[in-house]
Amino acid sequence: MSNETRSALSAAELAAWPHVFREAAGGGATEAPVFVTLHGTGGTEHDIVALADALDPSWAVLSPRGRTSENGMNRWFARRGEGVFDVDDVVVRAGELADFIEWATASYGLEGRPLVLVGFSNGANIALATAFLHPLVAQRAIAFSGMYPFADRRLDARLDSSTILLVGGADDPMAPAPSVATLVSELERAGAAVTAAHRAGGHGIAAADLERAKEWLAAL
Ligand code: MLT
């Protein structure tokens, strides 16, 4: 675990972060890759594990809970309205998540194992923010129904070793096409390998999205 501190969270706070960790089946030492599943608004660290199982039940799963709450709904960062993100909070929360992933990597002995962030909706947006800001921790990500998480802010990220899959609906009002276009161009400008596969339809995880994600995982 690096000593770099990205967030104000202490080691005790990282250890107390509500999360699920499920080791890959089979017991004993394993080199199985790890999904880091990130729920959407109002979701939980428990229900999003089903997404990992739909992708590949043989992987280990690390599933933390978003640390902010909006009217009692778990979220990953604050917003001022639908799609209007508090970008400063996005940056802070991405740092917290990167620190949590490093804490969990050390605590559960996951060093050297491939790790893929898998987020849906608000969870996709924090996965993308973390991939932009902390590429050594979040080098691979699948964003289901995600959008560009930094509004008008542009970064000088270098993501030459990053591999990102974007799937979702081309007519998703919660991940508007102009924001997705910015997302693709900013990831490409940073040097990431980006695959964008948007189907007809709106917000949600369609069977076609799962199929694209499985194909992408198989090609990793
Ligand atoms: C967000 O707030 O991250 C997006 O608008 C998606 C959502 O509503 O959770």
Side-chain angles (χ1 to χ4, degrees):
M1 183 168 174
S2 100
N3 291 324
E4 186 189 345
T5 302
R6 306 181 183 87
S7 71
L9 297 179
S10 67
E13 286 170 316
L14 290 170
W17 186 318
H19 69 278
V20 172
F21 175 68
R22 193 189 70 195
E23 188 47 283
T30 173
E31 297 302 312
V34 184
F35 286 125
V36 179
T37 48
L38 304 164
H39 61 75
T41 301
T44 73
E45 68 275 29
H46 300 285
D47 59 34
I48 196 70
V49 172
L51 180 54
D53 287 337
L55 292 172
D56 192 334
S58 73
W59 287 37
V61 185
L62 175 67
S63 189
R65 183 191 304 167
R67 289 173 55 81
T68 64
S69 171
E70 181 184 279
N71 302 322
M73 294 183 296
N74 295 321
R75 274 183 59 81
W76 290 96
F77 53 80
R79 62 179 168 180
R80 302 199 176 88
E82 182 63 56
V84 185
F85 300 162
D86 177 339
V87 175
D88 288 336
D89 197 52
V90 171
V91 171
V92 169
R93 301 300 178 174
E96 290 180 351
L97 180 60
D99 278 352
F100 173 76
I101 293 170
E102 286 208 327
W103 171 87
T105 297
S107 300
Y108 294 114
L110 308 177
E111 292 93 347
R113 290 167 60 176
L115 200 122
V116 177
L117 275 58
V118 178
F120 168 60
S121 189
N122 184 237
N125 296 336
I126 196 69
L128 291 163
T130 309
F132 268 108
L133 294 169
H134 306 290
L136 296 180
V137 177
Q139 214 171 63
R140 304 178 195 88
I142 305 174
F144 288 90
S145 298
M147 60 186 271
Y148 185 67
F150 304 113
D152 292 336
R153 203 175 293 183
R154 300 292 177 265
L155 310 173
D156 287 322
R158 283 317 315 161
L159 306 180
D160 302 285
S161 300
S162 298
T163 311
I164 311 287
L165 173 65
L166 311 173
V167 285
D171 300 308
D172 181 350
M174 292 156 93
S179 178
V180 174
T182 300
L183 174 61
V184 172
S185 64
E186 287 302 293
L187 285 168
E188 287 179 341
R189 189 170 71 85
V194 190
T195 306
H198 288 81
R199 54 171 166 79
H203 205 68
I205 301 176
D209 301 334
L210 286 172
E211 285 317 306
R212 293 310 299 258
K214 287 185 197 174
E215 286 164 17
W216 180 88
L217 286 166
L220 267 190

